């Protein structure tokens, strides 16, 4: 049986073998310390020279000094509870074998520039901080799926290759699809409207692509998005679903990933209140709020990042803004019959200035209106024949939203930049390694 | 509270409202029947004219005849247990409201040609058979994630945009990535080798792309693949992991999706034995087996589909073939030091002639060998600098595999063609709808 550092508590007093990498080591004459990592955790291996159990032989004692940072090693030793810290274990090491001696490791335990770290992303991922982020990311992805799966949703993966653009043709990646052109999906939503008619409650969860020539701390070229869609839901059902969803994710990370959040020095008192009903602002209310602090804001426009911060700074919970002007929303968004010119849309702004993490709303169900909107948005009707079929054959009220996973990871981890939220970030001008 | 057909057992005797689509309807003078679907199931709504509870008024009685196939409707009625069949419920309907009357539905309950159904995939998905397949697909995806998550693996999503090709440049989709070229990923494996060094046990699970100009029943242009990678695993650990994995998936579908398998008329006696250790054949043994029945097979070559069938037809469990010739495997596959010319690779062939569903093996850990192989395979060393770093800084034995999700769905559902295994299949010459 293979042993891992995460399981040490079950093996106190036993002699076990660990394989991993030398994260750090130091020597103080009579005793040598190896901080070993194996991907599941970190453990101090303590080398005393001697012949008693838990002491190491001459050969391993000498081998120790040949070990470089990030060398892969095999260590045998006796598991001991830390004399002072409960829940911490160390290894009374009896042997050390260097499996592969590392060349001089480019990433030291000092500070490095961002470009350098990004060039070495494949190695940077080994650091404690990056490992903690990836654990939180994994927990968030799992929480997302568990939330929907536990509520009777069916996963219906959307295609990546699409014949057309659902939000216009700008920022699209194009590829030759045999004899035709194809575009990489920016959203699976239109497809979810089709599967919602088949399965009632559905979601897709996959990578999406935007060819944005901008370098900001909130944009990735390639990012993962989860998009639920529910038949017979309206705008208000949709906001209720979204707030339950965000509460579930945040509280699960708090519960299951305390060590990772601690490693990231996340102020969890900011996350604990993310529960229950979230405040809801009509676009007009939000616009007044912004205008007070940013007189240059034009009512009717979409919010910029600083505008979002003006709103979100007033609340300790995420806040919904709903009823954005139809003119700044996608063609498929339903106009509110009670408020001409306003769409039944909703965005959710995260706390602490993290801005929009969810966008969604109720969809237009009238065939005539959809046809008109397609024309107004300069889209090709032919590309949307199948989408219009959903209005021809048993049209139904429905609503849904999209959550950008990386923005949620950045927010929950408290990261200043989105580039660390995904193992191999794709940014404007970067797709290596 | 919204009610769904899947929850009817909890509401026997109660009056509830259901929203959904008219799957089928018929009238026999004194009584009218609506087969209603809402995405969670199907229920018979029985309309008797009258004023008693569970009977319908004149208006709904007349409305019934205006209803067309796939019209969206709202039905109110009293839930009743079926008089003869345990676990089956029906609705004593009191009202019917047509929310949106469907135009003449193109897909009748008769047979249609494949091209027609594929053109109408967005509607075809509403059929009982397609819904059953999507339920099994969802269960498989969930089982895959639960298997790895329950065993301490960390999800580390691989990028889709890659600067290079890991298995050569043929069959690659290319796109303009700002000022450079990028290719759509055919496999996340190389990236998993990097994250395995950070996290020990990892997997990625996302769409992958192959621009194959072929129409077969086993190939999609865009398909989902799960790729686990484990630090310090060898070929034999890898086969053990793969067989536990396949057993887990198959048994979970059998346990949780009996209704879907029944709807698909799947012979589950063929799936029940998929447990425990799977037979393992050395490539040389497999080659002899094939040669006996297909004299044209050349020893040293890869297997064709008919060759795989020759092998798999001899076993009631999936069968591993390992130690394929290095010459026909990717550059990163480790050559067995005990068997020059043979790689430490393994493929898993599914039962019933479904062919390869898993490919994997142990990876080469020597920097010198990797360099030589990159040259031999005509790949650009520059593109693989980061990959070689994994051999420079603490190289480690490791192994992993990839499972094509759609092939697994086709096999477990018993489908003749892979096109029905994914909501919106991308095939040679097809990326609509």
């Amino acid at each position: 049986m293979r042993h891992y550092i995460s399981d040490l508590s079950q093996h106190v007093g036993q002699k076990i073998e660990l394989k991993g990498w030398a994260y750090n080591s130091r020597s103080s004459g009579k005793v040598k310390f190896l901080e070993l990592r194996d991907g599941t955790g970190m453990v101090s291996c303590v080398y005393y020279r001697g012949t008693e159990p838990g002491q190491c032989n001459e050969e391993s004692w000498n081998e120790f000094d040949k070990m470089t940072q990030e060398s892969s090693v095999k260590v045998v030793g006796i598991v001991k509870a830390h004399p002072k810290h409960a829940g911490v274990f160390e290894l009374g090491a009896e042997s050390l074998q260097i499996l592969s001696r590392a060349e001089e490791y480019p990433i030291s335990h000092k500070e490095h520039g961002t470009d350098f770290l990004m060039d070495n992303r494949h190695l940077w991922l080994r650091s404690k901080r990056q490992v903690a982020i990836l654990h939180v990311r994994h927990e968030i992805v799992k929480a997302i799926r568990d939330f929907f799966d536990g509520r009777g949703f069916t996963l219906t993966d959307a295609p990546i290759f699409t014949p057309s653009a659902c939000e216009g043709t700008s920022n699209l990646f194009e590829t030759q699809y045999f004899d035709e052109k194809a575009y990489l999906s920016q959203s699976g939503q239109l497809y979810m409207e089709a599967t919602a008619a088949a399965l009632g409650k559905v979601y897709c969860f996959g990578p999406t692509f935007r060819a944005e020539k901008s370098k900001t701390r909130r944009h990735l070229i390639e990012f993962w998005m989860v998009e639920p869609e529910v038949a017979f839901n309206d705008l208000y059902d949709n906001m209720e679903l979204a707030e339950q969803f965000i509460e579930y994710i945040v509280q699960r990370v708090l519960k299951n990933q305390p060590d990772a959040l601690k490693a990231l020095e996340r102020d969890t008192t900011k996350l604990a209140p993310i529960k229950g009903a979230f405040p809801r602002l009509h676009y007009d209310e939000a616009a007044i709020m912004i205008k007070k602090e940013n007189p240059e804001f034009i009512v009717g426009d979409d919010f910029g990042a600083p505008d979002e911060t003006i709103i979100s700074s007033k609340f300790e919970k995420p806040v919904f803004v709903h009823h954005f002007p139809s003119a700044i929303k996608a063609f498929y968004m339903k106009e509110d019959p009670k408020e001409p010119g306003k769409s039944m849309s909703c965005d959710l702004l995260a706390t602490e200035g993290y801005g929009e993490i969810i966008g969604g709303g109720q969809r237009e169900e009238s065939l005539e209106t959809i046809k008109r909107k397609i024309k107004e948005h300069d889209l090709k009707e032919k590309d949307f024949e199948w989408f219009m079929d959903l209005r021809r054959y048993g049209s139904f009220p429905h609503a849904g939203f999209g959550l950008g996973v990386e923005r949620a990871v950045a927010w929950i981890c408290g990261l200043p930049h989105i580039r660390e939220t995904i193992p191999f970030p794709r940014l404007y001008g970067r797709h290596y390694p």
Side-chain angles (χ1 to χ4, degrees), chain A:
Chain A
M1 193 197 148
R2 180 101 37 102
H3 291 107
Y4 289 101
I5 293 172
S6 56
D7 311 324
L8 289 182
S9 66
Q10 298 157 39
H11 301 286
V12 175
Q14 294 171 21
K15 189 195 284 200
I16 62 161
E17 176 189 295
L18 292 173
K19 287 176 181 168
W21 294 266
Y23 190 74
N24 216 342
S25 63
R26 64 195 164 89
S27 183
S28 68
K30 276 187 168 171
V31 57
K32 296 177 180 179
F33 297 94
L34 160 64
E35 211 180 341
L36 179 74
R37 62 168 195 88
D38 73 349
T40 74
M42 202 81 87
V43 67
S44 282
C45 306
V46 187
Y47 285 84
Y48 280 104
R49 201 164 14 170
T51 53
E52 299 290 306
Q55 298 184 335
C56 84
N57 56 28
E58 198 66 20
E59 195 185 349
S60 292
W61 181 261
N62 295 329
E63 184 83 348
F64 196 100
D65 300 324
K66 296 176 198 150
M67 184 173 55
T68 50
Q69 188 189 346
E70 284 301 318
S71 288
S72 59
V73 297
K74 184 165 90 176
V75 174
V76 174
I78 294 174
V79 182
K80 296 176 182 178
H82 191 282
K84 287 178 194 159
H85 302 295
V88 177
F89 304 90
E90 52 182 43
L91 215 65
E94 298 192 351
S95 73
L96 174 72
Q97 187 190 335
I98 296 172
L99 301 174
S100 176
R101 190 171 180 276
E103 296 177 21
E104 195 183 352
Y105 196 60
I107 304 179
S108 65
H109 297 291
K110 291 174 293 186
E111 289 278 313
H112 292 281
T114 301
D115 270 350
F116 177 81
L117 289 172
M118 291 294 283
D119 286 343
N120 287 286
R121 182 66 181 165
H122 54 294
L123 303 175
W124 186 23
L125 288 171
R126 300 180 186 187
S127 75
K128 281 183 190 175
R129 176 180 164 87
Q130 299 307 315
V131 163
I133 295 170
L134 290 181
H135 281 151
V136 174
R137 180 186 171 91
H138 183 186
E139 187 74 39
I140 290 173
V141 170
K142 202 166 155 51
I144 288 170
R145 294 185 179 267
D146 287 348
F147 178 85
F148 292 116
D149 295 348
R151 279 161 182 76
F153 283 68
T154 304
L155 171 74
T156 55
D157 295 306
I160 305 296
F161 287 127
T162 57
S164 57
C166 91
E167 303 191 11
T169 48
S170 62
N171 297 336
L172 269 181
F173 283 105
E174 186 186 284
T175 186
Q176 192 65 30
Y177 191 87
F178 307 105
D179 301 332
E180 295 168 278
K181 296 275 177 214
Y183 303 95
L184 302 189
S185 180
Q186 295 190 316
S187 161
Q189 186 220 304
L190 302 194
Y191 292 95
M192 293 308 98
E193 297 192 38
T195 57
L199 290 143
K201 292 184 278 190
V202 298
Y203 69 102
C204 63
F205 193 173
T208 50
F209 307 87
R210 301 210 179 183
E212 277 183 278
K213 282 192 182 178
S214 68
K215 289 187 183 189
T216 82
R217 59 183 189 84
R218 310 206 311 165
H219 288 88
L220 288 170
I221 301 303
E222 179 184 322
F223 60 100
W224 284 67
M225 187 147 68
V226 57
E227 294 173 276
E229 190 76 27
V230 182
F232 304 108
N233 261 11
D234 64 16
L235 167 63
Y236 304 94
D237 300 323
N238 196 49
M239 287 196 275
E240 207 175 302
L241 182 70
E243 73 195 2
Q244 290 170 1
F245 173 62
I246 293 298
E247 168 179 337
Y248 183 85
I249 295 172
V250 171
Q251 297 301 324
R252 233 188 64 175
V253 173
L254 283 173
K255 185 169 165 244
N256 292 350
Q257 295 294 336
D259 294 347
L261 292 174
K262 205 176 157 191
L264 296 167
E265 298 175 339
R266 180 65 168 116
D267 178 359
T268 53
T269 65
K270 293 275 202 284
L271 295 175
I274 315 293
K275 274 187 183 180
F278 297 163
R280 296 177 184 187
L281 294 177
H282 189 286
Y283 173 86
D284 293 342
E285 293 174 84
I288 290 168
M289 241 180 217
I290 294 168
K291 194 86 186 165
K292 270 187 198 159
E293 298 182 32
N294 173 14
E296 284 171 28
F297 175 73
I298 296 163
V299 178
D301 274 7
D302 207 353
F303 305 155
D307 303 324
E308 291 180 348
T309 304
I310 292 171
I311 298 170
S312 69
S313 63
K314 304 209 170 2
F315 302 92
E316 69 164 3
K317 293 185 188 187
V319 51
F320 283 109
V321 180
H322 55 85
H323 281 94
F324 283 84
S326 291
I328 59 170
K329 286 290 176 184
F331 76 94
Y332 48 73
M333 209 65 93
K334 187 179 171 74
E335 199 167 321
D336 194 334
K338 290 180 219 144
E339 290 193 55
K342 290 282 173 21
S343 65
M344 299 183 81
S345 56
C346 59
D347 283 5
L348 184 69
L349 311 182
T351 54
E352 300 169 74
Y354 274 90
E356 184 203 327
I357 49 169
I358 275 181
Q362 188 173 339
R363 321 307 185 184
E364 179 54 59
E365 71 237 48
S366 147
L367 178 61
E368 285 64 42
T369 310
I370 281 284
K371 268 194 178 170
R372 177 169 54 79
K373 294 273 184 122
I374 285 173
K375 198 169 273 178
E376 284 171 12
H377 280 76
D378 263 337
L379 300 167
K380 284 185 216 149
E381 205 171 282
K382 187 177 73 67
D383 290 343
F384 294 93
E385 277 303 329
W386 70 268
F387 184 69
M388 292 191 283
D389 275 355
L390 308 178
R391 277 75 186 166
R392 289 186 183 105
Y393 305 110
S395 193
F396 56 109
H398 53 292
F401 61 83
L403 169 85
V405 170
E406 286 74 20
R407 288 191 177 179
V409 174
W411 171 49
I412 293 174
C413 288
L415 307 178
H417 197 293
I418 202 162
R419 66 182 157 236
E420 292 179 53
T421 59
I422 187 166
F424 297 93
R426 274 30 189 154
L427 301 160
Y428 176 49
R430 175 174 292 281
H431 65 314
Y432 176 94

